[in-house]
Amino acid sequence: MKGLILKDVMCLKYQLRVFVFVIIGVVFTSILFVLSARYGNLAMAGAEMLRTEQATDIDVKNLASVALVLFMLLPIATVGDMANVFEADGKAGFYRLAGALPLPISKRLLARFLAIYALFGIGTLLDVILAFILSRLTDLIRFRDFLGIILSGASVMSIYSALVIFFCILLGYDGQTYAQVFSLLSMALALILCNLNYFRSLIKSIMTDQSDMFDMAVFWRPLDFIKEKSWILVLIAAAVSIVSYCISLKVAVRKRGVI
C-alpha cells in the first residue's frame, strides 16, 4: 500500500512543485503584509477609514484578517485536487494493472485517501508554523484564531477531495472535470441548505435602502465561525470522508477496474 501512496503522490508532482513555490511566496507576502498593516500603507489606510468612519475597528481588523487568511490557505489548496491522480492513472492505463495487484480494492482505495490527507497534513503543519511566526509580528489576529482558520480550510479541502474521489470512481476515468464540478455544487448546495436563515439575513441587510440598517455582524459571522468553531468542520470532514470511502468502495467493487 505504501507503493500506491507514493505513486499517487508522484502523480501530483506538478502540484508539489507549485506547492513549494507557493509556500515561498506566501511566507514573504504574509510577512510583508503584516508589517505593512502594522507600520506601512495598510496601517495608514486603516487609520483613515476609522477617522472618516467608513469602518469600525472590528471591520478593519476583519478585512485584514480575511486577506491574510487567503494567503494562508493557498498552500493547502494547491495540493487538494485528486482528480489529477485519476486522470494520470487513466492516461497510463493503470486500471488494467491494478486488478493484478495483491491488494484488495478496499486497500487500494484507502491508499488514495491516505495520500491526499498526508499532503494536507504537510500543508497544515507548514501553515501552523507560519501562523505562529505571523502571530508574533501582528496583533490583527491571535494564533488561536489562526489555528482555527487553518483547520477550517483543511477541513473544507478534505471534504472537497473526498467528494472528488467518490465522483471520479462513480463517473470513471473520463469524468474528472464533471467530478470537480459536482463536488463543488454539492458543497455549495449543502452550505446553502444548512444556512438558509443566514443567507436570508445577509440578503435582507444588503438589499435594504437605509445604509445604517446594514448589519456588519451578519456579514462577519462566517469568519467568526471558522475562527471559533473549526472543530465542527473537522468533525464534518471526518464524517464525509468516512461516508465517501464506504460508498466509493461499494461503487468500486461493482465497477471493477476503476481504481
Side-chain angles (χ1 to χ4, degrees):
M1 196 163 73
K2 293 179 181 178
L4 288 177
I5 295 175
L6 181 60
K7 185 269 297 177
D8 289 344
V9 171
M10 291 304 296
C11 288
L12 297 170
K13 59 183 179 180
Y14 173 76
Q15 288 171 264
L16 292 177
R17 287 197 295 266
V18 174
F19 175 74
V20 173
F21 288 114
V22 167
I23 284 290
I24 296 172
V26 165
V27 169
F28 284 104
T29 304
S30 298
I31 292 176
L32 290 175
F33 180 86
V34 297
L35 291 177
S36 179
R38 189 166 187 175
Y39 306 109
N41 293 334
L42 290 176
M44 295 172 60
E48 180 65 18
M49 293 175 68
L50 291 174
R51 187 184 67 81
T52 57
E53 297 183 351
Q54 295 178 358
T56 65
D57 183 59
I58 294 177
D59 295 335
V60 171
K61 285 188 175 183
N62 282 341
L63 285 171
S65 297
V66 168
L68 200 55
V69 164
L70 295 178
F71 289 135
M72 297 292 295
L73 296 182
L74 281 176
I76 299 175
T78 54
V79 292
D81 199 348
M82 284 302 289
N84 291 333
V85 176
F86 283 91
E87 183 178 1
D89 280 355
K91 290 181 179 179
F94 179 76
Y95 60 92
R96 299 189 186 95
L97 176 64
L101 294 176
L103 284 174
I105 294 178
S106 59
K107 289 189 176 180
R108 299 204 298 267
L109 179 61
L110 180 60
R112 188 140 300 181
F113 276 86
L114 292 178
I116 190 61
Y117 291 145
L119 293 176
F120 281 146
I122 295 172
T124 300
L125 177 60
L126 292 174
D127 262 351
V128 170
I129 295 173
L130 179 58
F132 178 78
I133 296 172
L134 294 178
S135 65
R136 305 295 107 182
L137 299 175
T138 181
D139 56 355
L140 288 174
I141 185 170
R142 300 173 299 171
F143 175 71
R144 177 183 176 182
D145 293 335
F146 260 132
L147 189 60
I149 292 168
I150 292 170
L151 290 176
S152 295
S155 298
V156 170
M157 289 304 301
S158 297
I159 293 171
Y160 169 74
S161 294
L163 292 175
V164 166
I165 292 174
F166 165 69
F167 283 115
C168 280
I169 292 175
L170 182 65
L171 300 175
Y173 281 106
D174 296 327
Q176 293 87 6
T177 301
Y178 294 109
Q180 293 169 314
V181 173
F182 290 156
S183 298
L184 292 173
L185 289 177
S186 299
M187 293 174 67
L189 181 61
L191 178 64
I192 293 173
L193 291 178
C194 294
N195 296 276
L196 284 175
N197 291 333
Y198 167 75
F199 284 107
R200 275 198 289 262
S201 300
L202 182 61
I203 293 173
K204 182 179 179 180
S205 297
I206 294 175
M207 295 299 292
T208 182
D209 294 332
Q210 299 177 348
S211 59
D212 58 341
M213 292 292 290
F214 187 83
D215 189 359
M216 289 301 296
V218 174
F219 184 78
W220 294 122
R221 197 179 298 166
L223 181 62
D224 295 333
F225 178 85
I226 64 175
K227 286 193 298 185
E228 300 170 4
K229 298 183 179 180
S230 58
W231 59 272
I232 295 178
L233 288 175
V234 171
L235 293 178
I236 293 174
V240 171
S241 297
I242 294 172
V243 172
S244 174
Y245 173 80
C246 295
I247 299 177
S248 298
L249 181 58
K250 289 185 178 181
V251 175
V253 169
R254 292 184 178 180
K255 297 179 62 176
R256 294 179 179 273
V258 296
I259 190 169

